[in-house]
């Protein structure tokens, strides 16, 4: 699918294309950051045997992934 998106972007104004790619990149970086922070908290909840926090964080992780 990404190939189709990139192929279609050849026909888009270069400035708009650059803006769209920058937004996609930024969104991916932000999602990766959020995911990593949640995973750190999951590890912490496991270490502390906090089942409630673990269950809550795994649900939150599903929405970010």
């Amino acid at each position: 699918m990404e190939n189709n998106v990139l192929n279609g972007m050849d026909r888009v104004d270069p400035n708009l294309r650059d803006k769209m790619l920058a937004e996609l990149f930024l969104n991916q970086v932000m999602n990766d950051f959020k995911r990593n922070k949640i995973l750190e908290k999951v590890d912490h909840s496991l270490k502390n045997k906090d089942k409630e926090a673990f269950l809550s964080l795994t649900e939150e992780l599903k929405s970010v992934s």
Side-chain angles (χ1 to χ4, degrees), residues 6 8-9 13 15-17 19 21 24-25 27-28 30-32 36 38 41-43 48 52 56-57 61 63-65:
L6 293 176
M9 291 188 73
D13 174 48
N15 290 329
L16 180 59
R17 182 189 66 222
K19 181 180 176 184
L21 288 173
L24 288 170
F25 176 76
N27 285 338
Q28 183 64 48
M30 289 180 1
N31 283 338
D32 288 349
N36 286 333
I38 295 169
K41 291 178 182 179
V42 166
D43 287 345
N48 292 331
E52 187 176 314
S56 173
L57 289 164
L61 187 60
S63 70
V64 174
S65 299

Side-chain angles (χ1 to χ4, degrees), residues 42-62:
V42 166
D43 287 345
H44 185 73
S45 71
L46 288 170
K47 184 187 282 185
N48 292 331
K49 299 179 182 176
D50 185 347
K51 183 178 180 178
E52 187 176 314
F54 173 80
L55 293 173
S56 173
L57 289 164
T58 53
E59 284 302 312
E60 187 177 346
L61 187 60
K62 289 177 188 176

